[in-house]
């Protein structure tokens, strides 16, 4: 009997699981606003926070009008399956190189297989993950006419999780289980730092 729920908790976590401030964010690789938020948080803000104070969970949430973003999400999930330690670097590279990897101007004439190959090669160069192992995870299974690949079901769970939480736009950020509409994708590192500092004072 196939499993109908995830076998482990969704989300890639940065920080201690028992940190009092829990930040959850839904991102789309083809969304420039997602890129700004993700890169500011993971490159500038979170590394400077005191250990044990903030936990950050990244959820894949490709928008249906950003088809290449779904392929990028599958590749990133494949990276995590192959070597979780390479996941963050792979995601950062995709976001940093959106125009060359997933935007319409570069992806419109590519086949699905070509997209996977391009993305796997790119993240392998950036993170050191085994490109062949990643491509194996996103290869067509062939077990049925609409079988998908090894990470397809996982991506479906991510999308279902986002829908369950009423996520529409990306990025959307939840703080300790509640949506935080005051957080902007355009926030600078200083604005994030001030927000976290204020939260910690309230604790």
């Amino acid at each position: 009997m196939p499993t109908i729920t995830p076998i482990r908790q969704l989300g890639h976590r940065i920080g201690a699981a028992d940190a009092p401030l829990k930040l959850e964010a839904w991102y789309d690789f083809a969304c420039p606003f997602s890129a700004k938020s993700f890169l500011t948080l993971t490159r500038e803000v979170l590394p400077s926070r005191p250990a044990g104070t903030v936990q950050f969970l990244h959820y894949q949430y490709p928008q249906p009008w950003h088809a290449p973003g779904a392929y990028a999400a599958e590749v990133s999930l494949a990276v995590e399956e192959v070597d979780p330690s390479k996941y963050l670097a792979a995601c950062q590279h995709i976001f940093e190189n959106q125009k060359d990897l997933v935007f319409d101007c570069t992806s419109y004439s590519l086949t699905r297989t070509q997209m996977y190959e391009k993305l796997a090669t790119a993240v392998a160069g950036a993170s050191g993950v085994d490109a062949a192992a990643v491509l194996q995870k996103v290869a067509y299974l062939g077990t049925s006419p609409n079988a998908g690949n090894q990470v397809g079901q996982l991506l479906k769970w991510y999308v279902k999780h986002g829908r369950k939480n009423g996520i529409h736009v990306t990025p959307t950020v939840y703080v300790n289980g509640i949506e935080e509409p005051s957080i902007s994708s355009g926030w600078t590192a200083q604005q994030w730092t001030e927000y976290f500092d204020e939260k910690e004072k309230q604790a």
Side-chain angles (χ1 to χ4, degrees), residues 6-15 17 22-27 38 55-61 76-77 80-81 84 87 91 154-155 157-159 161-162:
I7 60 174
R8 60 180 180 274
Q9 185 178 9
L10 296 178
H12 182 87
R13 187 187 309 277
I14 298 175
K22 182 179 181 181
L23 194 73
E24 299 173 278
W26 286 259
Y27 291 113
F38 186 85
Q55 55 173 304
F56 170 68
L57 281 131
H58 169 214
Y59 299 118
Q60 296 291 346
Y61 200 63
S76 73
L77 293 173
E80 187 162 38
E81 291 282 312
Y87 176 84
C91 290
L154 183 56
L155 182 59
W157 282 324
Y158 270 97
V159 172
H161 175 260

Side-chain angles (χ1 to χ4, degrees), residues 19-42:
L21 189 59
K22 182 179 181 181
L23 194 73
E24 299 173 278
W26 286 259
Y27 291 113
D28 172 10
F29 279 124
C31 168
F33 306 104
S34 291
K36 166 67 174 173
S37 174
F38 186 85
L39 292 172
T40 300
L41 272 171
T42 62

Side-chain angles (χ1 to χ4, degrees), residues 31-192:
C31 168
F33 306 104
S34 291
K36 166 67 174 173
S37 174
F38 186 85
L39 292 172
T40 300
L41 272 171
T42 62
R43 286 210 182 278
E44 302 179 56
V45 180
L46 295 174
S48 68
R49 300 308 300 173
T53 59
V54 180
Q55 55 173 304
F56 170 68
L57 281 131
H58 169 214
Y59 299 118
Q60 296 291 346
Y61 200 63
Q63 301 284 17
W65 51 87
H66 287 159
Y71 303 147
E74 286 183 316
V75 167
S76 73
L77 293 173
V79 170
E80 187 162 38
E81 291 282 312
V82 172
D83 186 345
S85 71
K86 310 296 187 186
Y87 176 84
L88 178 58
C91 290
Q92 289 172 333
H93 185 73
I94 295 172
F95 275 128
E96 287 173 331
N97 296 276
Q98 286 178 314
K99 184 177 179 181
D100 296 326
L101 293 175
V102 295
F103 277 4
D104 289 343
C105 61
T106 193
S107 66
Y108 221 72
S109 62
L110 299 181
T111 66
R112 182 173 182 174
T113 298
Q114 288 172 328
M115 281 295 302
Y116 288 144
E117 291 172 347
K118 183 173 186 175
L119 288 160
T121 300
V123 298
S127 70
V129 72
D130 184 341
V134 170
L135 285 171
Q136 186 177 15
K137 294 286 185 182
V138 295
Y140 171 52
L141 291 173
T143 54
S144 72
N146 206 27
N149 55 49
Q150 293 182 45
V151 294
Q153 180 58 62
L154 183 56
L155 182 59
K156 290 178 185 178
W157 282 324
Y158 270 97
V159 172
K160 186 173 184 178
H161 175 260
R163 290 175 177 173
K164 178 185 74 68
N165 283 282
I167 307 302
H168 175 60
V169 300
T170 55
T172 294
V173 179
Y174 275 43
V175 175
N176 289 338
I178 303 296
E179 183 176 357
E180 175 59 279
S182 71
I183 291 176
S184 169
S185 60
W187 270 12
T188 64
Q190 180 62 34
Q191 288 172 300
W192 276 110

